[in-house]
């Protein structure tokens, strides 16, 4: 127990120190939200990867989909690397950096408001982002707390509260710069940790070859007399597996906390380097997580919840609980790293969106600060500081709300993430991506896609999820492209001179 506590305390101290170290660069809005738009390739790539993969993946998704699909669940990690990282950087990285810098956009709602010339879209996007990032955050809390409970015997509630407080401290102190630096440290832990843990877990079952042989002998859930195909390359249910790949890979293209990483990177050379680094990071971490989870059936049947369903969130912890203390400590640090980086990105995105797109859409001065109707540099600096203060207050507010949900989570981690990603990416992906490249996108098409993504997710949820949240999210994302294209063709075009100015950034 001593080694677990010691390593965890050292990790948390380093995390807080980075927040203190970065506080001088977090006094302006650009510094707090975007790191001054001067974050290099390594920090940005690791920030992208660690925000992408959290306890939601390691505990929730790896356990649930590894159980359902066996070794074929590893395709999810491959999809995350190729579609969610490589293609995302190639398609969105440079274009997002250049256009958002040209139109002086700091957040995704800000992009929608300026690109489509609609303050209403800016407000609607900020509300959607704030509301639907909350269930994702709750899922992150639940995942890390499950591992802490297994590793330290600390009750779930205390774990969630401790993580919330520590994350709030370093984000409030250092903003995006502190988050990026911590992401780099945490990413290194994740890379080494997942490789070591895979070897240690498989060694318990006689090594890789023996473990695969045992997976090939596991019977089907529906018919014990039939091989369940859990060792096959495409597994027992390839079509539903494809839905998971689409949601978890393409979904990152439309998530505010992910796309925001491209706003802050330094230049095009850094984007090229970041593309390679991010892809390799995703292949090792995501591929490793799902590969590990795919052997979950070798460690017994998980307990049953009161509603009669299997507790999928307990699968990965049960695979790890017999490891030596030093490896348990490594697992806890791995998942803590992944979760705190994701949580930091979520709360920073939510607070900046609410502040810049709802509360302070324009420069606002107080009585007596303005002379001759002009806001001078000194007043502008005061306004910037006030915005940063509001963002820090909203970080606390967002964390408290998501923590309350996490202390009484309504469903599995995977379903929490599915609801969040489905609504956000279903609403934002198509109008963002097509709005970057196609001048013909109309304001009405953006409104229509917002209604489509949020409406489909909410209706499906209220109806008791007749379509699984995972597949519903995938349908919302892909259908959004059809919605934007069709509505853009049949609605009035935006004023050509305005659109030409938006695209005049090359």
């Amino acid at each position: 127990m001593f080694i677990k506590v010691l390593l965890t305390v050292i990790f948390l101290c380093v995390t807080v120190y980075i927040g203190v170290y970065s506080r001088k660069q977090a006094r302006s809005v650009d510094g707090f939200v975007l790191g001054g738009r001067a974050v290099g390739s390594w920090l940005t790539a690791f920030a992208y990867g660690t925000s992408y993969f959290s306890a939601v993946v390691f505990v929730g998704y790896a356990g649930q989909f590894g159980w359902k699909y066996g070794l074929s669940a590893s395709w999810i990690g491959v999809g995350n690397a190729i579609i969610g990282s490589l293609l995302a950087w190639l398609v969105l990285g440079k274009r997002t950096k250049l256009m958002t810098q040209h139109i002086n956009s700091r957040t995704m709602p800000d992009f929608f408001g300026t690109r489509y010339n609609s303050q209403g879209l800016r407000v609607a996007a900020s509300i959607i982002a704030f509301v639907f990032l909350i269930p994702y955050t709750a899922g992150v809390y639940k995942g890390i707390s499950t591992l802490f409970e297994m590793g330290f015997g600390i009750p779930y509630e205390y774990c969630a509260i401790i993580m919330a407080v520590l994350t709030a401290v370093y984000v409030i102190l250092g903003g995006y710069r502190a988050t990026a630096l911590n992401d780099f440290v945490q990413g290194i832990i994740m890379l080494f940790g997942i490789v070591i843990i895979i070897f240690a877990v498989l060694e318990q079952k006689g090594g890789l070859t023996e473990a695969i042989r045992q997976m090939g002998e596991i019977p089907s859930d529906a018919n014990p007399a039939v091989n369940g195909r859990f060792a096959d390359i495409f597994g027992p249910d390839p079509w539903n597996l494809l839905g998971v790949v689409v949601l978890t890979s393409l979904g990152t293209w439309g998530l505010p906390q992910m796309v925001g990483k491209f706003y802050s990177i330094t230049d095009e050379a850094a984007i090229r380097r970041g593309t390679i680094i991010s892809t390799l990071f995703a292949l090792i971490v995501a591929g490793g997580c799902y590969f590990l989870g795919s052997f979950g059936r070798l460690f017994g049947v998980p307990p049953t919840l009161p509603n009669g369903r299997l507790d999928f969130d307990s699968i990965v912890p049960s695979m790890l609980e017999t490891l030596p203390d030093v490896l348990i400590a490594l697992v806890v640090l791995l998942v803590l790293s992944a979760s705190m980086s994701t949580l930091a990105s979520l709360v920073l995105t939510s607070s900046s969106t609410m502040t810049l797109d709802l509360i302070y859409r324009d420069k606002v001065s107080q009585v007596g600060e303005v002379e001759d109707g002009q806001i001078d540099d000194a007043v502008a600096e005061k306004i910037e500081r006030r915005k940063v203060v509001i963002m820090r207050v909203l970080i606390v507010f967002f964390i408290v709300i998501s923590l309350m949900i996490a202390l009484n989570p309504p469903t599995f981690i995977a379903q929490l993430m599915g609801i969040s990603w489905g609504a956000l990416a279903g609403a934002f992906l198509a109008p963002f991506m097509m709005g970057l490249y196609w001048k013909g996108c109309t304001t009405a098409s953006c409104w229509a896609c917002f209604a489509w993504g949020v409406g489909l997710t909410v209706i499906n949820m209220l109806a008791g999820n007749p379509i699984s949240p995972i597949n519903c999210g995938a349908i919302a994302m892909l259908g959004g492209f059809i919605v934007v294209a069709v509505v853009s063709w049949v609605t009035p075009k935006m004023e050509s001179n305005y659109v030409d100015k938006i695209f005049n950034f090359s």
Side-chain angles (χ1 to χ4, degrees):
M1 177 62 77
F2 174 76
I3 188 67
K4 290 188 287 187
V5 174
L6 177 63
L7 291 177
T8 304
V9 169
I10 292 173
F11 170 81
L12 296 177
C13 288
V14 170
T15 297
V16 173
Y17 170 77
I18 290 175
V20 175
Y21 170 78
S22 305
R23 70 188 187 282
K24 291 183 180 179
Q25 297 172 315
R27 293 176 179 173
S28 68
V29 172
D30 263 4
F32 192 82
V33 177
L34 301 175
R37 294 187 187 266
V39 181
S41 56
W42 282 90
L43 291 184
T44 302
F46 272 62
Y48 186 93
T50 55
S51 297
Y52 194 166
F53 311 114
S54 67
V56 172
V57 172
F58 188 81
V59 179
Y61 270 25
Q64 177 167 336
F65 299 130
W67 182 270
K68 289 184 176 181
Y69 306 122
L71 290 177
S72 66
S74 302
W75 284 111
I76 306 172
V78 175
N80 291 172
I82 296 176
I83 302 172
S85 295
L86 176 62
L87 291 181
W89 279 72
L90 291 175
V91 175
L92 299 180
K94 177 182 176 181
R95 194 80 175 183
T96 299
K97 166 70 177 177
L98 294 177
M99 183 179 280
T100 58
Q101 193 164 6
H102 170 65
I103 64 177
N104 195 28
S105 168
R106 292 164 167 171
T107 66
M108 186 178 273
D110 191 17
F111 171 86
F112 287 126
T114 305
R115 164 63 180 85
Y116 293 101
N117 196 23
S118 169
Q119 291 302 316
L121 280 175
R122 187 197 308 267
V123 172
S126 64
I127 293 173
I128 292 170
F130 188 84
V131 170
F132 286 98
L133 283 177
I134 290 175
Y136 185 19
T137 308
V140 174
Y141 281 123
K142 190 172 187 296
I144 181 58
S145 299
T146 302
L147 260 296
F148 253 99
E149 198 167 17
M150 179 272 294
F152 291 90
I154 301 175
Y156 166 83
E157 294 78 10
Y158 296 143
C159 297
I161 293 170
I162 291 170
M163 192 179 87
V165 171
L166 288 170
T167 305
V169 167
Y170 84 77
V171 177
I172 289 172
L173 286 174
Y176 184 77
R177 186 73 181 181
T179 300
L181 287 171
N182 268 312
D183 288 346
F184 184 72
V185 174
Q186 293 159 356
I188 292 173
I189 295 173
M190 291 168 67
L191 285 172
F192 284 100
I194 190 64
V195 173
I196 293 171
I197 296 305
I198 288 173
F199 278 105
V201 169
L202 292 182
E203 189 63 27
Q204 299 179 80
K205 297 299 176 182
L208 175 61
T209 303
E210 175 62 19
I212 293 176
R213 186 193 67 77
Q214 293 178 35
M215 287 294 296
E217 296 178 350
I218 296 176
S220 166
D221 291 333
N223 186 352
V226 178
N227 185 308
R229 300 179 59 200
F230 295 111
D232 290 1
I233 187 171
F234 293 117
D237 191 359
W239 286 110
N240 276 316
L241 176 63
L242 179 62
V244 179
V245 172
V246 171
L247 177 75
T248 61
S249 301
L250 192 61
T252 59
W253 297 37
L255 298 179
Q257 75 274 18
M258 301 300 297
V259 174
K261 303 296 185 289
F262 301 131
Y263 286 45
S264 59
I265 198 166
T266 51
D267 51 38
E268 293 179 37
I271 292 173
R272 289 192 293 272
R273 292 191 298 271
T275 302
I276 299 171
I277 298 166
S278 177
T279 302
L280 292 175
F281 184 93
L283 192 60
I284 295 171
V285 174
C289 285
Y290 288 109
F291 182 70
L292 175 66
S294 67
F295 292 97
R297 286 180 179 262
L298 300 183
F299 293 81
V301 179
T304 303
L305 295 169
N307 62 8
R309 300 181 65 182
L310 296 178
D311 184 7
F312 293 117
D313 297 342
S314 70
I315 292 174
V316 171
S318 70
M319 299 171 69
L320 308 172
E321 59 188 1
T322 58
L323 295 177
D325 269 5
V326 66
L327 292 182
I328 292 290
L330 182 60
V331 171
V332 171
L333 291 184
L334 187 161
V335 183
L336 184 62
S337 298
S339 300
M340 289 185 70
S341 57
T342 301
L343 181 58
S345 179
L346 292 172
V347 299
L348 188 59
T349 299
S350 298
S351 66
S352 60
T353 292
M354 291 295 287
T355 301
L356 301 178
D357 300 311
L358 277 182
I359 300 173
Y360 264 101
R361 290 204 304 273
D362 302 299
K363 289 185 175 181
V364 179
S365 60
Q366 295 181 352
V367 177
E369 288 185 335
V370 177
E371 296 181 5
D372 301 324
Q374 298 295 320
I375 296 178
D376 59 25
D377 291 341
V379 174
E381 186 177 343
K382 290 180 182 178
I383 295 171
E384 289 283 288
R385 287 200 297 268
R386 284 199 287 268
K387 290 179 181 179
V388 172
V389 169
I390 291 174
M391 278 189 275
R392 286 171 166 148
V393 171
L394 285 174
I395 284 173
V396 176
F397 176 69
F398 182 85
I399 284 179
V400 169
I401 293 177
S402 56
L403 180 59
M404 291 171 64
I405 296 176
L407 293 177
N408 187 27
T411 185
F412 294 122
I413 294 174
Q415 275 61 51
L416 287 172
M417 185 174 170
I419 292 168
S420 175
W421 281 38
L424 288 169
F428 293 162
L429 171 57
F432 180 79
M433 180 178 166
M434 295 175 74
L436 284 174
Y437 285 94
W438 184 30
K439 291 183 179 182
C441 283
T442 65
T443 305
S445 73
C446 190
W447 277 114
C449 199
F450 283 7
W452 159 258
V454 174
L456 180 63
T457 303
V458 171
I459 291 171
N460 186 61
M461 183 173 60
L462 293 177
N465 294 317
I467 308 172
S468 77
I470 309 299
N471 289 337
C472 182
I475 293 169
M477 289 179 215
L478 297 176
F481 288 98
I482 299 174
V483 171
V484 171
V486 171
V487 175
S488 292
W489 285 331
V490 300
T491 54
K493 304 301 179 186
M494 295 180 64
E495 202 274 318
S496 59
N497 288 336
Y498 180 84
V499 175
D500 288 341
K501 288 180 182 178
I502 293 293
F503 279 80
N504 185 26
F505 58 85
S506 56

